[in-house]
Amino acid sequence: MSALVEKIVDTPAVAPPRRGELPTASNVFEPAWIRISLIVVALSFLTLFLFVPLAAVFAEAFKKGWQAYLAAITDPDAVSAIKLTLIAAVIAVPLNLVFGVAASWAIAKFEFRGKSILLTLIDLPFSVSPVISGLIYVLMFGAQGWIGPWLQEHDIKILFAVPGIVLATIFITFPFVARELIPLMQAQGTEEEEAALVLGASGWNTFRRVTLPNIKWGLLYGVILCNARAMGEFGAVSVVSGHIRGETNTMPLQVEILYNEYNFAAAFAIASLLALLALVTLAIKSFIEWRLHESQNVDSDVRILEHTA
C-alpha cells in the first residue's frame, strides 16, 4: 500500500487543459511521440493524396503559359460549360435551401407520423449512385419512359437539355442543407420558439427573429456544401446531359471531353477552376465552422451564467 502511494506521489502532474479545451484521454495518457506520429501519418496522407494532386492540376493548367490558359477558359465551349454549371447551381441551391429549412424545421420541431420515413428519404441520394439517379430521370422522361411520349408530342425537352441537368443536380444535392440543420435544430430544442409564441409572435416572426438567427451559420454551412456539390457533380448530370458540346456540357463534363481528346492543357485549365472553387469552399467552410463554434461557446457561457445567477 505504501509503495502504491509513493508511486502516485512520484507521478508527475499533468498540465491542466488550456482555457476552452476539454480534458481528454489523449491529454492525460498518450505520450508525445504517439501524438506526433499520428500527426505525421495524417499529414503524409494528405500530402500524397491531396496536396500533390492539387498542385499537379495547377502546374499542368499553366504548363503552356498564361496565354494558353486564358485561351482555354475563354473558349466558347468552355464558357458555355461554365454558364451552364452556374445556371444549374443558381437554380438548385435556393430550391434545396427552401426544402432543407422546411424539412429540418418539421423534423426537429414537430412530431408526426412518417417522420422516420422522411429522414430516410432525405438520406436517399447519399446511398444511391449518382449514375442510378440519372437513369431514374431517363426512365421517367426518356423517349421510351413513362411520360416521354407525351413530352415529345408537346415539344417539351427535359432530357439532353437544361431542365434535366437541373433536376439531376437538385436530386443529388437536396440532403446537404437539411442534414446540417436537423441536428442543430434538435440540439437547440423548442423552448425559445414556444416562448415567442406565448408572447404573441406569429409563426413567421418566430422563424425570422428566433429560429433563423440561431441556425444562420449552420444554414450557410449547408448552402456552401450544396453549392460545391452542385458545381462538381458528374455522374447524374453525365447521364441526362447527352454530352452536346456547347449546349449541355457542364464543367466536369467539359473536362472529360477535353481530356479524352488529349487536349490536356485545356482540360487541366477547366479543372483548375473547379479546384479553385474547392479551395474557396474549404476556406469559407473553415470560417463558418469557427463562427459556429464561437457562437456555441457563447451560448454555453450564457446558459452557465443563467444557472449560476
Side-chain angles (χ1 to χ4, degrees):
M1 183 67 179
S2 59
L4 179 60
V5 173
E6 291 176 359
K7 184 176 180 180
I8 295 175
V9 172
D10 292 338
T11 302
V14 178
R18 295 189 297 270
R19 187 173 180 268
E21 178 184 359
L22 295 176
T24 60
S26 60
N27 297 110
V28 179
F29 299 108
E30 290 184 0
W33 69 268
I34 292 181
R35 296 196 297 270
I36 294 174
S37 299
L38 293 175
I39 293 173
V40 169
V41 170
L43 290 178
S44 300
F45 188 89
L46 289 175
T47 301
L48 182 61
F49 294 102
L50 180 62
F51 300 140
V52 172
L54 191 61
V57 168
F58 286 97
E60 290 293 330
F62 292 100
K63 189 175 183 179
K64 295 185 178 181
W66 276 97
Q67 292 182 348
Y69 181 83
L70 292 176
I73 64 176
T74 56
D75 180 79
D77 290 342
V79 172
S80 175
I82 294 172
K83 288 181 179 179
L84 182 56
T85 302
L86 294 176
I87 289 173
V90 166
I91 297 175
V93 173
L95 292 177
N96 286 328
L97 169 64
V98 174
F99 167 79
V101 172
S104 57
W105 197 5
I107 291 172
K109 305 297 183 180
F110 303 99
E111 294 294 333
F112 55 91
R113 297 178 64 180
K115 183 175 180 178
S116 59
I117 298 176
L118 179 58
L119 277 169
T120 302
L121 292 176
I122 289 175
D123 291 334
L124 185 62
F126 289 145
S127 58
V128 175
S129 170
V131 175
I132 302 301
S133 305
L135 289 175
I136 292 173
Y137 288 106
V138 173
L139 178 63
M140 293 176 60
F141 305 119
Q144 306 300 324
W146 295 343
I147 59 176
W150 182 87
L151 294 174
Q152 286 184 337
E153 290 177 3
H154 294 79
D155 196 24
I156 300 175
K157 293 183 178 180
I158 301 295
L159 291 182
F160 312 141
V162 175
I165 294 173
V166 172
L167 287 174
T169 304
I170 291 173
F171 180 84
I172 291 298
T173 57
F174 79 78
F176 285 92
V177 176
R179 265 302 167 194
E180 289 299 325
L181 293 182
I182 289 172
L184 179 60
M185 286 187 172
Q186 288 176 336
Q188 291 174 351
T190 60
E191 291 82 2
E192 295 184 11
E193 284 85 356
E194 292 173 354
L197 293 174
V198 169
L199 293 175
S202 64
W204 168 246
N205 284 331
T206 300
F207 173 77
R208 185 168 59 89
R209 295 179 179 273
V210 178
T211 305
L212 189 59
N214 289 336
I215 65 171
K216 60 181 179 181
W217 292 112
L219 178 62
L220 186 57
Y221 184 82
V223 168
I224 292 298
L225 294 180
C226 179
N227 181 71
R229 179 62 188 274
M231 290 189 174
E233 175 54 30
F234 178 84
V237 172
S238 177
V239 175
V240 301
S241 71
H243 295 267
I244 303 175
R245 197 160 191 160
E247 295 184 18
T248 62
N249 279 336
T250 59
M251 292 172 67
L253 301 182
Q254 183 69 10
V255 171
E256 182 196 27
I257 288 177
L258 293 172
Y259 190 85
N260 290 336
E261 294 177 349
Y262 302 100
N263 192 353
F264 299 127
F268 279 105
I270 305 299
S272 69
L273 296 179
L274 290 172
L276 185 62
L277 170 67
L279 293 176
V280 173
T281 301
L282 182 63
I284 298 175
K285 172 178 171 291
S286 300
F287 173 75
I288 293 174
E289 285 179 340
W290 172 73
R291 289 303 303 265
L292 185 61
H293 179 71
E294 290 293 321
S295 63
Q296 289 175 347
N297 286 342
V298 170
D299 292 341
S300 178
D301 293 340
V302 170
R303 292 190 184 95
I304 292 174
L305 292 175
E306 288 177 350
H307 286 295
T308 57

PDB file of all heavy atoms in Angstrom, residues 241-276:
ATOM      1  N   SER A 241     -27.389  14.590 -69.674  1.00  0.00           N
ATOM      2  CA  SER A 241     -26.978  15.746 -70.476  1.00  0.00           C
ATOM      3  C   SER A 241     -26.925  15.451 -71.964  1.00  0.00           C
ATOM      4  O   SER A 241     -27.189  16.325 -72.792  1.00  0.00           O
ATOM      5  CB  SER A 241     -25.613  16.245 -70.019  1.00  0.00           C
ATOM      6  OG  SER A 241     -24.589  15.324 -70.384  1.00  0.00           O
ATOM      7  N   GLY A 242     -26.541  14.233 -72.332  1.00  0.00           N
ATOM      8  CA  GLY A 242     -26.358  13.916 -73.736  1.00  0.00           C
ATOM      9  C   GLY A 242     -25.026  14.343 -74.299  1.00  0.00           C
ATOM     10  O   GLY A 242     -24.719  14.090 -75.464  1.00  0.00           O
ATOM     11  N   HIS A 243     -24.205  15.055 -73.519  1.00  0.00           N
ATOM     12  CA  HIS A 243     -22.868  15.489 -73.937  1.00  0.00           C
ATOM     13  C   HIS A 243     -22.909  16.296 -75.236  1.00  0.00           C
ATOM     14  O   HIS A 243     -22.078  16.108 -76.123  1.00  0.00           O
ATOM     15  CB  HIS A 243     -21.931  14.298 -74.096  1.00  0.00           C
ATOM     16  CG  HIS A 243     -21.645  13.579 -72.823  1.00  0.00           C
ATOM     17  ND1 HIS A 243     -20.568  13.867 -72.018  1.00  0.00           N
ATOM     18  CD2 HIS A 243     -22.314  12.580 -72.194  1.00  0.00           C
ATOM     19  CE1 HIS A 243     -20.563  13.076 -70.965  1.00  0.00           C
ATOM     20  NE2 HIS A 243     -21.631  12.291 -71.043  1.00  0.00           N
ATOM     21  N   ILE A 244     -23.877  17.190 -75.363  1.00  0.00           N
ATOM     22  CA  ILE A 244     -23.950  18.042 -76.546  1.00  0.00           C
ATOM     23  C   ILE A 244     -22.995  19.209 -76.350  1.00  0.00           C
ATOM     24  O   ILE A 244     -23.188  20.040 -75.470  1.00  0.00           O
ATOM     25  CB  ILE A 244     -25.384  18.549 -76.771  1.00  0.00           C
ATOM     26  CG1 ILE A 244     -26.354  17.365 -76.888  1.00  0.00           C
ATOM     27  CG2 ILE A 244     -25.451  19.416 -78.022  1.00  0.00           C
ATOM     28  CD1 ILE A 244     -27.800  17.778 -76.979  1.00  0.00           C
ATOM     29  N   ARG A 245     -21.977  19.241 -77.148  1.00  0.00           N
ATOM     30  CA  ARG A 245     -20.899  20.211 -76.960  1.00  0.00           C
ATOM     31  C   ARG A 245     -21.416  21.638 -77.151  1.00  0.00           C
ATOM     32  O   ARG A 245     -22.094  21.948 -78.127  1.00  0.00           O
ATOM     33  CB  ARG A 245     -19.785  19.937 -77.954  1.00  0.00           C
ATOM     34  CG  ARG A 245     -18.473  20.595 -77.598  1.00  0.00           C
ATOM     35  CD  ARG A 245     -17.342  19.902 -78.309  1.00  0.00           C
ATOM     36  NE  ARG A 245     -16.051  20.338 -77.806  1.00  0.00           N
ATOM     37  CZ  ARG A 245     -14.938  19.656 -77.964  1.00  0.00           C
ATOM     38  NH1 ARG A 245     -14.964  18.500 -78.599  1.00  0.00           N
ATOM     39  NH2 ARG A 245     -13.802  20.115 -77.496  1.00  0.00           N
ATOM     40  N   GLY A 246     -21.098  22.488 -76.210  1.00  0.00           N
ATOM     41  CA  GLY A 246     -21.522  23.878 -76.277  1.00  0.00           C
ATOM     42  C   GLY A 246     -22.950  24.118 -75.844  1.00  0.00           C
ATOM     43  O   GLY A 246     -23.405  25.266 -75.846  1.00  0.00           O
ATOM     44  N   GLU A 247     -23.670  23.054 -75.459  1.00  0.00           N
ATOM     45  CA  GLU A 247     -25.075  23.214 -75.062  1.00  0.00           C
ATOM     46  C   GLU A 247     -25.383  22.563 -73.719  1.00  0.00           C
ATOM     47  O   GLU A 247     -25.989  23.203 -72.851  1.00  0.00           O
ATOM     48  CB  GLU A 247     -25.998  22.635 -76.141  1.00  0.00           C
ATOM     49  CG  GLU A 247     -25.946  23.372 -77.465  1.00  0.00           C
ATOM     50  CD  GLU A 247     -26.948  22.824 -78.464  1.00  0.00           C
ATOM     51  OE1 GLU A 247     -27.888  22.130 -78.023  1.00  0.00           O
ATOM     52  OE2 GLU A 247     -26.789  23.079 -79.661  1.00  0.00           O
ATOM     53  N   THR A 248     -25.012  21.287 -73.548  1.00  0.00           N
ATOM     54  CA  THR A 248     -25.414  20.569 -72.325  1.00  0.00           C
ATOM     55  C   THR A 248     -24.210  20.032 -71.546  1.00  0.00           C
ATOM     56  O   THR A 248     -24.381  19.144 -70.722  1.00  0.00           O
ATOM     57  CB  THR A 248     -26.346  19.396 -72.665  1.00  0.00           C
ATOM     58  OG1 THR A 248     -25.649  18.463 -73.507  1.00  0.00           O
ATOM     59  CG2 THR A 248     -27.591  19.888 -73.381  1.00  0.00           C
ATOM     60  N   ASN A 249     -23.045  20.558 -71.791  1.00  0.00           N
ATOM     61  CA  ASN A 249     -21.867  20.131 -71.033  1.00  0.00           C
ATOM     62  C   ASN A 249     -21.623  21.089 -69.876  1.00  0.00           C
ATOM     63  O   ASN A 249     -21.497  22.301 -70.085  1.00  0.00           O
ATOM     64  CB  ASN A 249     -20.622  20.088 -71.918  1.00  0.00           C
ATOM     65  CG  ASN A 249     -20.542  18.830 -72.748  1.00  0.00           C
ATOM     66  OD1 ASN A 249     -21.119  17.809 -72.380  1.00  0.00           O
ATOM     67  ND2 ASN A 249     -19.846  18.892 -73.870  1.00  0.00           N
ATOM     68  N   THR A 250     -21.554  20.556 -68.664  1.00  0.00           N
ATOM     69  CA  THR A 250     -21.121  21.343 -67.519  1.00  0.00           C
ATOM     70  C   THR A 250     -19.597  21.285 -67.423  1.00  0.00           C
ATOM     71  O   THR A 250     -18.930  20.631 -68.231  1.00  0.00           O
ATOM     72  CB  THR A 250     -21.750  20.803 -66.228  1.00  0.00           C
ATOM     73  OG1 THR A 250     -21.369  19.423 -66.059  1.00  0.00           O
ATOM     74  CG2 THR A 250     -23.264  20.905 -66.274  1.00  0.00           C
ATOM     75  N   MET A 251     -19.035  21.944 -66.443  1.00  0.00           N
ATOM     76  CA  MET A 251     -17.571  21.998 -66.333  1.00  0.00           C
ATOM     77  C   MET A 251     -16.946  20.616 -66.156  1.00  0.00           C
ATOM     78  O   MET A 251     -15.955  20.297 -66.831  1.00  0.00           O
ATOM     79  CB  MET A 251     -17.179  22.939 -65.189  1.00  0.00           C
ATOM     80  CG  MET A 251     -17.501  24.397 -65.474  1.00  0.00           C
ATOM     81  SD  MET A 251     -17.262  25.470 -64.044  1.00  0.00           S
ATOM     82  CE  MET A 251     -15.493  25.375 -63.843  1.00  0.00           C
ATOM     83  N   PRO A 252     -17.451  19.757 -65.273  1.00  0.00           N
ATOM     84  CA  PRO A 252     -16.855  18.418 -65.179  1.00  0.00           C
ATOM     85  C   PRO A 252     -16.945  17.633 -66.486  1.00  0.00           C
ATOM     86  O   PRO A 252     -16.001  16.916 -66.846  1.00  0.00           O
ATOM     87  CB  PRO A 252     -17.672  17.744 -64.061  1.00  0.00           C
ATOM     88  CG  PRO A 252     -18.184  18.870 -63.242  1.00  0.00           C
ATOM     89  CD  PRO A 252     -18.464  19.965 -64.218  1.00  0.00           C
ATOM     90  N   LEU A 253     -18.058  17.748 -67.204  1.00  0.00           N
ATOM     91  CA  LEU A 253     -18.194  17.041 -68.476  1.00  0.00           C
ATOM     92  C   LEU A 253     -17.257  17.610 -69.529  1.00  0.00           C
ATOM     93  O   LEU A 253     -16.708  16.877 -70.355  1.00  0.00           O
ATOM     94  CB  LEU A 253     -19.635  17.120 -68.971  1.00  0.00           C
ATOM     95  CG  LEU A 253     -20.714  16.539 -68.051  1.00  0.00           C
ATOM     96  CD1 LEU A 253     -22.076  16.642 -68.714  1.00  0.00           C
ATOM     97  CD2 LEU A 253     -20.407  15.101 -67.689  1.00  0.00           C
ATOM     98  N   GLN A 254     -17.046  18.926 -69.493  1.00  0.00           N
ATOM     99  CA  GLN A 254     -16.121  19.548 -70.435  1.00  0.00           C
ATOM    100  C   GLN A 254     -14.683  19.082 -70.174  1.00  0.00           C
ATOM    101  O   GLN A 254     -13.921  18.859 -71.121  1.00  0.00           O
ATOM    102  CB  GLN A 254     -16.217  21.071 -70.318  1.00  0.00           C
ATOM    103  CG  GLN A 254     -15.348  21.845 -71.299  1.00  0.00           C
ATOM    104  CD  GLN A 254     -15.821  21.729 -72.732  1.00  0.00           C
ATOM    105  OE1 GLN A 254     -16.911  21.226 -72.992  1.00  0.00           O
ATOM    106  NE2 GLN A 254     -15.005  22.206 -73.664  1.00  0.00           N
ATOM    107  N   VAL A 255     -14.334  18.911 -68.916  1.00  0.00           N
ATOM    108  CA  VAL A 255     -13.003  18.387 -68.582  1.00  0.00           C
ATOM    109  C   VAL A 255     -12.829  16.989 -69.157  1.00  0.00           C
ATOM    110  O   VAL A 255     -11.780  16.652 -69.734  1.00  0.00           O
ATOM    111  CB  VAL A 255     -12.799  18.383 -67.055  1.00  0.00           C
ATOM    112  CG1 VAL A 255     -11.516  17.634 -66.683  1.00  0.00           C
ATOM    113  CG2 VAL A 255     -12.744  19.806 -66.524  1.00  0.00           C
ATOM    114  N   GLU A 256     -13.862  16.152 -69.015  1.00  0.00           N
ATOM    115  CA  GLU A 256     -13.770  14.791 -69.549  1.00  0.00           C
ATOM    116  C   GLU A 256     -13.589  14.789 -71.068  1.00  0.00           C
ATOM    117  O   GLU A 256     -12.746  14.055 -71.603  1.00  0.00           O
ATOM    118  CB  GLU A 256     -15.030  14.003 -69.183  1.00  0.00           C
ATOM    119  CG  GLU A 256     -14.995  12.566 -69.671  1.00  0.00           C
ATOM    120  CD  GLU A 256     -16.368  11.921 -69.664  1.00  0.00           C
ATOM    121  OE1 GLU A 256     -17.370  12.644 -69.792  1.00  0.00           O
ATOM    122  OE2 GLU A 256     -16.428  10.681 -69.543  1.00  0.00           O
ATOM    123  N   ILE A 257     -14.350  15.616 -71.768  1.00  0.00           N
ATOM    124  CA  ILE A 257     -14.259  15.652 -73.226  1.00  0.00           C
ATOM    125  C   ILE A 257     -12.872  16.115 -73.667  1.00  0.00           C
ATOM    126  O   ILE A 257     -12.245  15.520 -74.553  1.00  0.00           O
ATOM    127  CB  ILE A 257     -15.354  16.573 -73.791  1.00  0.00           C
ATOM    128  CG1 ILE A 257     -16.721  15.908 -73.646  1.00  0.00           C
ATOM    129  CG2 ILE A 257     -15.089  16.909 -75.253  1.00  0.00           C
ATOM    130  CD1 ILE A 257     -17.862  16.771 -74.109  1.00  0.00           C
ATOM    131  N   LEU A 258     -12.368  17.180 -73.061  1.00  0.00           N
ATOM    132  CA  LEU A 258     -11.054  17.699 -73.440  1.00  0.00           C
ATOM    133  C   LEU A 258      -9.957  16.686 -73.136  1.00  0.00           C
ATOM    134  O   LEU A 258      -9.008  16.526 -73.918  1.00  0.00           O
ATOM    135  CB  LEU A 258     -10.784  19.016 -72.710  1.00  0.00           C
ATOM    136  CG  LEU A 258     -11.679  20.193 -73.112  1.00  0.00           C
ATOM    137  CD1 LEU A 258     -11.442  21.378 -72.193  1.00  0.00           C
ATOM    138  CD2 LEU A 258     -11.442  20.580 -74.557  1.00  0.00           C
ATOM    139  N   TYR A 259     -10.072  15.999 -72.029  1.00  0.00           N
ATOM    140  CA  TYR A 259      -9.047  15.002 -71.678  1.00  0.00           C
ATOM    141  C   TYR A 259      -9.084  13.823 -72.643  1.00  0.00           C
ATOM    142  O   TYR A 259      -8.041  13.314 -73.049  1.00  0.00           O
ATOM    143  CB  TYR A 259      -9.261  14.531 -70.242  1.00  0.00           C
ATOM    144  CG  TYR A 259      -8.116  13.691 -69.710  1.00  0.00           C
ATOM    145  CD1 TYR A 259      -7.000  14.294 -69.148  1.00  0.00           C
ATOM    146  CD2 TYR A 259      -8.155  12.308 -69.768  1.00  0.00           C
ATOM    147  CE1 TYR A 259      -5.944  13.540 -68.664  1.00  0.00           C
ATOM    148  CE2 TYR A 259      -7.108  11.540 -69.296  1.00  0.00           C
ATOM    149  CZ  TYR A 259      -6.002  12.160 -68.736  1.00  0.00           C
ATOM    150  OH  TYR A 259      -4.952  11.402 -68.262  1.00  0.00           O
ATOM    151  N   ASN A 260     -10.273  13.389 -73.024  1.00  0.00           N
ATOM    152  CA  ASN A 260     -10.381  12.281 -73.976  1.00  0.00           C
ATOM    153  C   ASN A 260      -9.861  12.659 -75.356  1.00  0.00           C
ATOM    154  O   ASN A 260      -9.475  11.779 -76.141  1.00  0.00           O
ATOM    155  CB  ASN A 260     -11.835  11.826 -74.079  1.00  0.00           C
ATOM    156  CG  ASN A 260     -12.315  11.117 -72.824  1.00  0.00           C
ATOM    157  OD1 ASN A 260     -11.513  10.566 -72.063  1.00  0.00           O
ATOM    158  ND2 ASN A 260     -13.615  11.117 -72.598  1.00  0.00           N
ATOM    159  N   GLU A 261      -9.858  13.943 -75.656  1.00  0.00           N
ATOM    160  CA  GLU A 261      -9.314  14.420 -76.926  1.00  0.00           C
ATOM    161  C   GLU A 261      -7.822  14.737 -76.834  1.00  0.00           C
ATOM    162  O   GLU A 261      -7.262  15.320 -77.762  1.00  0.00           O
ATOM    163  CB  GLU A 261     -10.086  15.661 -77.382  1.00  0.00           C
ATOM    164  CG  GLU A 261     -11.549  15.388 -77.729  1.00  0.00           C
ATOM    165  CD  GLU A 261     -12.303  16.649 -78.094  1.00  0.00           C
ATOM    166  OE1 GLU A 261     -11.756  17.751 -77.876  1.00  0.00           O
ATOM    167  OE2 GLU A 261     -13.429  16.532 -78.599  1.00  0.00           O
ATOM    168  N   TYR A 262      -7.204  14.402 -75.706  1.00  0.00           N
ATOM    169  CA  TYR A 262      -5.776  14.630 -75.473  1.00  0.00           C
ATOM    170  C   TYR A 262      -5.424  16.118 -75.459  1.00  0.00           C
ATOM    171  O   TYR A 262      -4.264  16.484 -75.685  1.00  0.00           O
ATOM    172  CB  TYR A 262      -4.919  13.896 -76.517  1.00  0.00           C
ATOM    173  CG  TYR A 262      -5.156  12.407 -76.543  1.00  0.00           C
ATOM    174  CD1 TYR A 262      -5.975  11.834 -77.509  1.00  0.00           C
ATOM    175  CD2 TYR A 262      -4.577  11.583 -75.587  1.00  0.00           C
ATOM    176  CE1 TYR A 262      -6.213  10.463 -77.520  1.00  0.00           C
ATOM    177  CE2 TYR A 262      -4.806  10.210 -75.590  1.00  0.00           C
ATOM    178  CZ  TYR A 262      -5.627   9.655 -76.564  1.00  0.00           C
ATOM    179  OH  TYR A 262      -5.857   8.305 -76.560  1.00  0.00           O
ATOM    180  N   ASN A 263      -6.399  16.941 -75.182  1.00  0.00           N
ATOM    181  CA  ASN A 263      -6.146  18.371 -75.010  1.00  0.00           C
ATOM    182  C   ASN A 263      -5.934  18.620 -73.519  1.00  0.00           C
ATOM    183  O   ASN A 263      -6.783  19.193 -72.833  1.00  0.00           O
ATOM    184  CB  ASN A 263      -7.328  19.185 -75.546  1.00  0.00           C
ATOM    185  CG  ASN A 263      -7.000  20.660 -75.661  1.00  0.00           C
ATOM    186  OD1 ASN A 263      -5.942  21.119 -75.235  1.00  0.00           O
ATOM    187  ND2 ASN A 263      -7.928  21.414 -76.246  1.00  0.00           N
ATOM    188  N   PHE A 264      -4.782  18.174 -73.031  1.00  0.00           N
ATOM    189  CA  PHE A 264      -4.548  18.144 -71.588  1.00  0.00           C
ATOM    190  C   PHE A 264      -4.485  19.544 -70.978  1.00  0.00           C
ATOM    191  O   PHE A 264      -4.982  19.768 -69.869  1.00  0.00           O
ATOM    192  CB  PHE A 264      -3.263  17.383 -71.288  1.00  0.00           C
ATOM    193  CG  PHE A 264      -3.303  15.947 -71.736  1.00  0.00           C
ATOM    194  CD1 PHE A 264      -2.301  15.436 -72.548  1.00  0.00           C
ATOM    195  CD2 PHE A 264      -4.336  15.119 -71.358  1.00  0.00           C
ATOM    196  CE1 PHE A 264      -2.336  14.115 -72.966  1.00  0.00           C
ATOM    197  CE2 PHE A 264      -4.387  13.797 -71.772  1.00  0.00           C
ATOM    198  CZ  PHE A 264      -3.379  13.300 -72.588  1.00  0.00           C
ATOM    199  N   ALA A 265      -3.856  20.489 -71.680  1.00  0.00           N
ATOM    200  CA  ALA A 265      -3.726  21.836 -71.125  1.00  0.00           C
ATOM    201  C   ALA A 265      -5.093  22.466 -70.892  1.00  0.00           C
ATOM    202  O   ALA A 265      -5.354  23.050 -69.829  1.00  0.00           O
ATOM    203  CB  ALA A 265      -2.884  22.704 -72.059  1.00  0.00           C
ATOM    204  N   ALA A 266      -5.994  22.348 -71.863  1.00  0.00           N
ATOM    205  CA  ALA A 266      -7.338  22.914 -71.703  1.00  0.00           C
ATOM    206  C   ALA A 266      -8.131  22.163 -70.636  1.00  0.00           C
ATOM    207  O   ALA A 266      -8.873  22.774 -69.851  1.00  0.00           O
ATOM    208  CB  ALA A 266      -8.077  22.878 -73.040  1.00  0.00           C
ATOM    209  N   ALA A 267      -7.976  20.834 -70.598  1.00  0.00           N
ATOM    210  CA  ALA A 267      -8.698  20.047 -69.593  1.00  0.00           C
ATOM    211  C   ALA A 267      -8.274  20.451 -68.183  1.00  0.00           C
ATOM    212  O   ALA A 267      -9.121  20.651 -67.297  1.00  0.00           O
ATOM    213  CB  ALA A 267      -8.437  18.558 -69.816  1.00  0.00           C
ATOM    214  N   PHE A 268      -6.967  20.589 -67.975  1.00  0.00           N
ATOM    215  CA  PHE A 268      -6.495  20.978 -66.640  1.00  0.00           C
ATOM    216  C   PHE A 268      -6.816  22.441 -66.341  1.00  0.00           C
ATOM    217  O   PHE A 268      -6.946  22.811 -65.168  1.00  0.00           O
ATOM    218  CB  PHE A 268      -4.996  20.720 -66.520  1.00  0.00           C
ATOM    219  CG  PHE A 268      -4.666  19.290 -66.233  1.00  0.00           C
ATOM    220  CD1 PHE A 268      -4.157  18.469 -67.221  1.00  0.00           C
ATOM    221  CD2 PHE A 268      -4.859  18.763 -64.973  1.00  0.00           C
ATOM    222  CE1 PHE A 268      -3.857  17.136 -66.964  1.00  0.00           C
ATOM    223  CE2 PHE A 268      -4.561  17.444 -64.694  1.00  0.00           C
ATOM    224  CZ  PHE A 268      -4.061  16.623 -65.699  1.00  0.00           C
ATOM    225  N   ALA A 269      -6.957  23.284 -67.364  1.00  0.00           N
ATOM    226  CA  ALA A 269      -7.340  24.668 -67.117  1.00  0.00           C
ATOM    227  C   ALA A 269      -8.755  24.734 -66.549  1.00  0.00           C
ATOM    228  O   ALA A 269      -9.012  25.453 -65.568  1.00  0.00           O
ATOM    229  CB  ALA A 269      -7.243  25.466 -68.419  1.00  0.00           C
ATOM    230  N   ILE A 270      -9.689  23.990 -67.156  1.00  0.00           N
ATOM    231  CA  ILE A 270     -11.050  23.952 -66.611  1.00  0.00           C
ATOM    232  C   ILE A 270     -11.063  23.275 -65.239  1.00  0.00           C
ATOM    233  O   ILE A 270     -11.772  23.711 -64.325  1.00  0.00           O
ATOM    234  CB  ILE A 270     -12.000  23.213 -67.574  1.00  0.00           C
ATOM    235  CG1 ILE A 270     -11.956  23.841 -68.964  1.00  0.00           C
ATOM    236  CG2 ILE A 270     -13.423  23.234 -67.037  1.00  0.00           C
ATOM    237  CD1 ILE A 270     -12.382  25.277 -68.999  1.00  0.00           C
ATOM    238  N   ALA A 271     -10.247  22.224 -65.094  1.00  0.00           N
ATOM    239  CA  ALA A 271     -10.178  21.536 -63.802  1.00  0.00           C
ATOM    240  C   ALA A 271      -9.629  22.457 -62.716  1.00  0.00           C
ATOM    241  O   ALA A 271     -10.022  22.356 -61.543  1.00  0.00           O
ATOM    242  CB  ALA A 271      -9.305  20.289 -63.921  1.00  0.00           C
ATOM    243  N   SER A 272      -8.736  23.362 -63.095  1.00  0.00           N
ATOM    244  CA  SER A 272      -8.187  24.283 -62.098  1.00  0.00           C
ATOM    245  C   SER A 272      -9.263  25.223 -61.566  1.00  0.00           C
ATOM    246  O   SER A 272      -9.211  25.645 -60.404  1.00  0.00           O
ATOM    247  CB  SER A 272      -7.032  25.081 -62.695  1.00  0.00           C
ATOM    248  OG  SER A 272      -7.497  25.992 -63.682  1.00  0.00           O
ATOM    249  N   LEU A 273     -10.242  25.577 -62.417  1.00  0.00           N
ATOM    250  CA  LEU A 273     -11.349  26.403 -61.930  1.00  0.00           C
ATOM    251  C   LEU A 273     -12.167  25.662 -60.886  1.00  0.00           C
ATOM    252  O   LEU A 273     -12.568  26.239 -59.864  1.00  0.00           O
ATOM    253  CB  LEU A 273     -12.238  26.821 -63.102  1.00  0.00           C
ATOM    254  CG  LEU A 273     -11.593  27.713 -64.171  1.00  0.00           C
ATOM    255  CD1 LEU A 273     -12.595  28.028 -65.269  1.00  0.00           C
ATOM    256  CD2 LEU A 273     -11.056  28.990 -63.560  1.00  0.00           C
ATOM    257  N   LEU A 274     -12.408  24.371 -61.137  1.00  0.00           N
ATOM    258  CA  LEU A 274     -13.116  23.562 -60.137  1.00  0.00           C
ATOM    259  C   LEU A 274     -12.289  23.406 -58.873  1.00  0.00           C
ATOM    260  O   LEU A 274     -12.832  23.430 -57.756  1.00  0.00           O
ATOM    261  CB  LEU A 274     -13.447  22.196 -60.734  1.00  0.00           C
ATOM    262  CG  LEU A 274     -14.508  22.177 -61.834  1.00  0.00           C
ATOM    263  CD1 LEU A 274     -14.599  20.785 -62.466  1.00  0.00           C
ATOM    264  CD2 LEU A 274     -15.864  22.592 -61.286  1.00  0.00           C
ATOM    265  N   ALA A 275     -10.965  23.235 -59.022  1.00  0.00           N
ATOM    266  CA  ALA A 275     -10.098  23.123 -57.846  1.00  0.00           C
ATOM    267  C   ALA A 275     -10.087  24.428 -57.056  1.00  0.00           C
ATOM    268  O   ALA A 275     -10.090  24.413 -55.817  1.00  0.00           O
ATOM    269  CB  ALA A 275      -8.683  22.748 -58.277  1.00  0.00           C
ATOM    270  N   LEU A 276     -10.069  25.550 -57.773  1.00  0.00           N
ATOM    271  CA  LEU A 276     -10.121  26.841 -57.096  1.00  0.00           C
ATOM    272  C   LEU A 276     -11.427  27.009 -56.342  1.00  0.00           C
ATOM    273  O   LEU A 276     -11.454  27.529 -55.222  1.00  0.00           O
ATOM    274  CB  LEU A 276      -9.939  27.962 -58.117  1.00  0.00           C
ATOM    275  CG  LEU A 276      -9.861  29.388 -57.559  1.00  0.00           C
ATOM    276  CD1 LEU A 276      -8.661  29.528 -56.636  1.00  0.00           C
ATOM    277  CD2 LEU A 276      -9.775  30.395 -58.698  1.00  0.00           C
TER     278      LEU A 276
END
